[in-house]
Amino acid sequence: MNCIRCGQQAGYNRSVVDTVSGRELGGFCRNCEFEEFGRALDRFSQAERTCIMCDRDGHVGFATWTPSLKEGDQRLVSEVDYEVTDRTPFLCDEHFHAVTDDDDETAAEQTGRVSG
């Protein structure tokens, strides 16, 4: 699964889920999480489904992958899964697009273009 921000492999950091449709939109890698939010999502403690940046309804959840061990056939199997709950950090559509869309100035610097 690729990161919604940088497009690289997201690993098992967070799964980004559209809570209206239930669709997985992609992952959110650790580097992009730190760049966008620092350690704020790790310390998140809100108990309602509103955007962490404003008071609008949060429609996109950033669920943490959680490892677990399952016993079966005389062996241990490690699995990872996520669950979207009220304690999951959410963004509204506006702030979600702000995270995923490139800033025009940043894009111009990366490609050598001059915005005008």
Side-chain angles (χ1 to χ4, degrees), residues 38-91:
R39 294 185 57 203
L41 296 186
D42 286 338
R43 298 175 178 155
F44 181 77
S45 64
Q46 185 170 317
E48 52 189 61
R49 292 182 179 225
T50 58
C51 178
I52 61 174
M53 307 292 282
C54 68
D55 291 334
R56 293 178 62 203
D57 289 340
H59 296 292
V60 180
F62 286 73
T64 303
W65 288 96
T66 305
S68 63
L69 287 175
K70 307 243 180 190
E71 283 189 60
D73 299 330
Q74 300 179 357
R75 63 183 178 152
L76 289 175
V77 177
S78 177
E79 296 179 350
V80 290
D81 201 5
Y82 66 86
E83 183 178 4
V84 177
T85 68
D86 287 342
R87 304 218 17 111
T88 300
F90 292 91
L91 290 178

Side-chain angles (χ1 to χ4, degrees), residues 51 56-60 91-100:
C51 178
R56 293 178 62 203
D57 289 340
H59 296 292
V60 180
L91 290 178
C92 64
D93 57 346
E94 181 181 336
H95 286 111
F96 173 71
H97 290 296
V99 169
T100 59

